[in-house]
Amino acid sequence: MVKLWWVGFLSLLMTLLLSGQGLTIPWAVIENRGRLLVGITEYDHRPLSFRDNEDNLQGLEIDIIHRLAQELLGNESAVEFIPLANNDRLRAVIDGKVDLAIASITVTRSRLRVVDFSHSYYLSGTALVSLQDSSISNNDTIAVLEGSSAIVLLKQNLPSVQLQGVTSYQEGLSLVAEGKVTAFAGDITLLTGWTQENPQYSLLPQVYGAYPLAIALPKGLQHQELRDKINQIMANLARQGWLQERIEYWGLR
């Protein structure tokens, strides 16, 4: 008797999960609320997300969210941006503190275990910034963050160069400014922003590796409608050329 009751309970539970009944449906909650709760980086990350001189949020990721709000809710301003530290980006999605997060988040296997991702909106990679607009020669010295994945890429693609470890972007860029190294290797989005603010530096044409950036979304059947809507919009924006136009507008490759 107990066994039959347990089987019946499991059957009912699966029916509810698959139908969405008896659960809080996040998309319905968002519609009733009338705005998206969006996690963004708390740091200036030009040209993805930063505040301009008038303290307005700008950047590729901000443009994407405003467009999503327009498509989903009919109002591009129907957004509440919630700044997050890097370590809190995924946790905020998992805990439901935000509906989604767009904060220079790279899609990785380990992250896919705890959150879902939208279609990628940009392929990032490792690039080089230098005071000279020329290619890297044998025996040049390149500064790179200690322990970063860029080290392997540089050794594979530029086996003759010397690598000098640094502990921060600022340290690496300072070594370039002082002429102690030829270039600094780092994330292309961060280095693009650096060269936009410091035009005396050049972003060299080579890009190593490819890291898809995407919107972090919550897992679970109850979130399927939200994920489907966002992925459909992102696919349309890519197909229509809007996404590439915004990438180029913000000076990204």
Side-chain angles (χ1 to χ4, degrees), residues 190-212:
L190 285 169
L191 295 184
T192 296
W194 174 264
T195 57
Q196 288 173 354
E197 294 186 286
N198 300 273
Q200 68 271 30
Y201 292 86
S202 295
L203 192 64
L204 302 187
Q206 303 90 346
V207 180
Y208 308 101
Y211 318 123

Side-chain angles (χ1 to χ4, degrees), residues 95-113:
D95 291 345
K97 294 179 180 178
V98 297
D99 300 319
L100 52 93
I102 183 167
S104 185
I105 304 174
T106 305
V107 180
T108 65
R109 290 181 180 178
S110 61
R111 288 171 176 168
L112 281 167
R113 296 192 187 104

Side-chain angles (χ1 to χ4, degrees), residues 36-50 57-69 72 79-86 88-94 97-107 111 115-123 189 212-218 226 230-231 233-234 237 242-243 246-247 250 252:
L36 290 170
L37 303 182
V38 180
I40 59 172
T41 179
E42 68 177 358
Y43 312 104
D44 269 5
H45 190 150
R46 182 189 294 264
L48 295 183
S49 174
F50 65 98
L57 279 169
Q58 301 283 354
L60 174 63
E61 293 179 339
I62 305 303
D63 286 353
I64 290 171
I65 292 303
H66 282 307
R67 184 61 184 267
L68 283 177
L72 290 169
V79 182
E80 180 179 341
F81 290 108
I82 300 174
L84 300 170
N86 284 346
D88 296 332
R89 295 174 299 177
L90 300 187
R91 175 52 58 187
V93 174
I94 296 167
K97 294 179 180 178
V98 297
D99 300 319
L100 52 93
I102 183 167
S104 185
I105 304 174
T106 305
V107 180
R111 288 171 176 168
V115 297
D116 274 326
F117 283 98
S118 70
H119 296 318
S120 173
Y121 57 86
Y122 182 69
L123 273 181
T189 62
L213 302 184
I215 301 169
L217 300 165
L226 174 64
I230 288 178
N231 274 324
I233 293 169
M234 294 300 292
L237 295 179
W242 181 90
L243 196 52
R246 299 319 294 168
I247 288 171
W250 288 108
L252 291 162

